[in-house]
PDB file of all heavy atoms in Angstrom:
ATOM      1  N   ASP H 734     -17.243  31.320   4.598  1.00 98.00           N
ATOM      2  CA  ASP H 734     -16.310  30.540   5.556  1.00 98.00           C
ATOM      3  C   ASP H 734     -14.870  30.607   5.167  1.00 98.00           C
ATOM      4  O   ASP H 734     -14.042  30.868   6.013  1.00 98.00           O
ATOM      5  CB  ASP H 734     -16.868  29.127   5.568  1.00 98.00           C
ATOM      6  CG  ASP H 734     -16.058  28.341   6.612  1.00 98.00           C
ATOM      7  OD1 ASP H 734     -16.075  28.706   7.765  1.00 98.00           O
ATOM      8  OD2 ASP H 734     -15.354  27.308   6.216  1.00 98.00           O
ATOM      9  N   VAL H 735     -14.621  30.583   3.809  1.00 98.00           N
ATOM     10  CA  VAL H 735     -13.250  30.561   3.351  1.00 98.00           C
ATOM     11  C   VAL H 735     -12.669  31.921   3.542  1.00 98.00           C
ATOM     12  O   VAL H 735     -11.496  32.032   3.874  1.00 98.00           O
ATOM     13  CB  VAL H 735     -13.238  30.093   1.817  1.00 98.00           C
ATOM     14  CG1 VAL H 735     -11.814  30.384   1.152  1.00 98.00           C
ATOM     15  CG2 VAL H 735     -13.520  28.589   1.745  1.00 98.00           C
ATOM     16  N   THR H 736     -13.348  32.999   3.152  1.00 98.00           N
ATOM     17  CA  THR H 736     -12.805  34.316   3.172  1.00 98.00           C
ATOM     18  C   THR H 736     -12.955  35.122   4.437  1.00 98.00           C
ATOM     19  O   THR H 736     -12.190  36.057   4.651  1.00 98.00           O
ATOM     20  CB  THR H 736     -13.394  35.150   2.007  1.00 98.00           C
ATOM     21  OG1 THR H 736     -14.794  35.349   2.190  1.00 98.00           O
ATOM     22  CG2 THR H 736     -13.194  34.513   0.601  1.00 98.00           C
ATOM     23  N   GLY H 737     -13.851  34.701   5.232  1.00 97.00           N
ATOM     24  CA  GLY H 737     -14.121  35.379   6.530  1.00 97.00           C
ATOM     25  C   GLY H 737     -14.811  36.658   6.255  1.00 97.00           C
ATOM     26  O   GLY H 737     -14.852  37.529   7.120  1.00 97.00           O
ATOM     27  N   ARG H 738     -15.445  36.903   5.104  1.00 97.00           N
ATOM     28  CA  ARG H 738     -16.186  38.116   4.738  1.00 97.00           C
ATOM     29  C   ARG H 738     -17.503  37.856   4.021  1.00 97.00           C
ATOM     30  O   ARG H 738     -17.591  36.760   3.386  1.00 97.00           O
ATOM     31  CB  ARG H 738     -15.266  38.967   3.806  1.00 97.00           C
ATOM     32  CG  ARG H 738     -13.916  39.337   4.432  1.00 97.00           C
ATOM     33  CD  ARG H 738     -13.041  40.026   3.423  1.00 97.00           C
ATOM     34  NE  ARG H 738     -11.727  40.381   4.024  1.00 97.00           N
ATOM     35  CZ  ARG H 738     -11.452  41.524   4.615  1.00 97.00           C
ATOM     36  NH1 ARG H 738     -12.472  42.449   4.658  1.00 97.00           N
ATOM     37  NH2 ARG H 738     -10.274  41.752   5.112  1.00 97.00           N
ATOM     38  N   PRO H 739     -18.395  38.694   4.158  1.00 97.00           N
ATOM     39  CA  PRO H 739     -19.675  38.466   3.379  1.00 97.00           C
ATOM     40  C   PRO H 739     -19.409  38.400   1.816  1.00 97.00           C
ATOM     41  O   PRO H 739     -18.591  39.156   1.273  1.00 97.00           O
ATOM     42  CB  PRO H 739     -20.561  39.700   3.752  1.00 97.00           C
ATOM     43  CG  PRO H 739     -19.982  40.300   4.997  1.00 97.00           C
ATOM     44  CD  PRO H 739     -18.434  39.980   4.963  1.00 97.00           C
ATOM     45  N   ALA H 740     -20.078  37.525   1.181  1.00 98.00           N
ATOM     46  CA  ALA H 740     -20.104  37.461  -0.215  1.00 98.00           C
ATOM     47  C   ALA H 740     -20.723  38.710  -0.848  1.00 98.00           C
ATOM     48  O   ALA H 740     -21.711  39.269  -0.463  1.00 98.00           O
ATOM     49  CB  ALA H 740     -20.769  36.174  -0.771  1.00 98.00           C
ATOM     50  N   ALA H 741     -20.021  39.225  -1.882  1.00 98.00           N
ATOM     51  CA  ALA H 741     -20.424  40.495  -2.487  1.00 98.00           C
ATOM     52  C   ALA H 741     -21.715  40.311  -3.237  1.00 98.00           C
ATOM     53  O   ALA H 741     -22.572  41.258  -3.320  1.00 98.00           O
ATOM     54  CB  ALA H 741     -19.362  40.972  -3.462  1.00 98.00           C
ATOM     55  N   GLY H 742     -21.997  39.079  -3.762  1.00 98.00           N
ATOM     56  CA  GLY H 742     -23.175  38.840  -4.520  1.00 98.00           C
ATOM     57  C   GLY H 742     -23.154  37.579  -5.306  1.00 98.00           C
ATOM     58  O   GLY H 742     -22.288  36.723  -4.948  1.00 98.00           O
ATOM     59  N   PHE H 743     -23.940  37.432  -6.411  1.00 98.00           N
ATOM     60  CA  PHE H 743     -23.998  36.316  -7.120  1.00 98.00           C
ATOM     61  C   PHE H 743     -24.123  36.571  -8.609  1.00 98.00           C
ATOM     62  O   PHE H 743     -24.750  37.521  -9.036  1.00 98.00           O
ATOM     63  CB  PHE H 743     -25.359  35.563  -6.882  1.00 98.00           C
ATOM     64  CG  PHE H 743     -25.583  34.222  -7.565  1.00 98.00           C
ATOM     65  CD1 PHE H 743     -24.998  33.050  -7.081  1.00 98.00           C
ATOM     66  CD2 PHE H 743     -26.288  34.209  -8.694  1.00 98.00           C
ATOM     67  CE1 PHE H 743     -25.168  31.851  -7.866  1.00 98.00           C
ATOM     68  CE2 PHE H 743     -26.480  33.074  -9.443  1.00 98.00           C
ATOM     69  CZ  PHE H 743     -25.911  31.900  -9.008  1.00 98.00           C
ATOM     70  N   VAL H 744     -23.300  35.788  -9.402  1.00 97.00           N
ATOM     71  CA  VAL H 744     -23.355  35.869 -10.836  1.00 97.00           C
ATOM     72  C   VAL H 744     -23.478  34.491 -11.412  1.00 97.00           C
ATOM     73  O   VAL H 744     -22.664  33.634 -11.104  1.00 97.00           O
ATOM     74  CB  VAL H 744     -22.092  36.464 -11.402  1.00 97.00           C
ATOM     75  CG1 VAL H 744     -22.151  36.610 -12.911  1.00 97.00           C
ATOM     76  CG2 VAL H 744     -21.912  38.032 -10.814  1.00 97.00           C
ATOM     77  N   ALA H 745     -24.564  34.249 -12.140  1.00 96.00           N
ATOM     78  CA  ALA H 745     -24.848  32.912 -12.738  1.00 96.00           C
ATOM     79  C   ALA H 745     -23.839  32.579 -13.759  1.00 96.00           C
ATOM     80  O   ALA H 745     -23.322  33.539 -14.545  1.00 96.00           O
ATOM     81  CB  ALA H 745     -26.192  32.798 -13.275  1.00 96.00           C
TER      82      ALA H 745
END
Side-chain angles (χ1 to χ4, degrees):
D734 180 61
V735 167
T736 64
R738 299 170 182 273
F743 179 85
V744 180

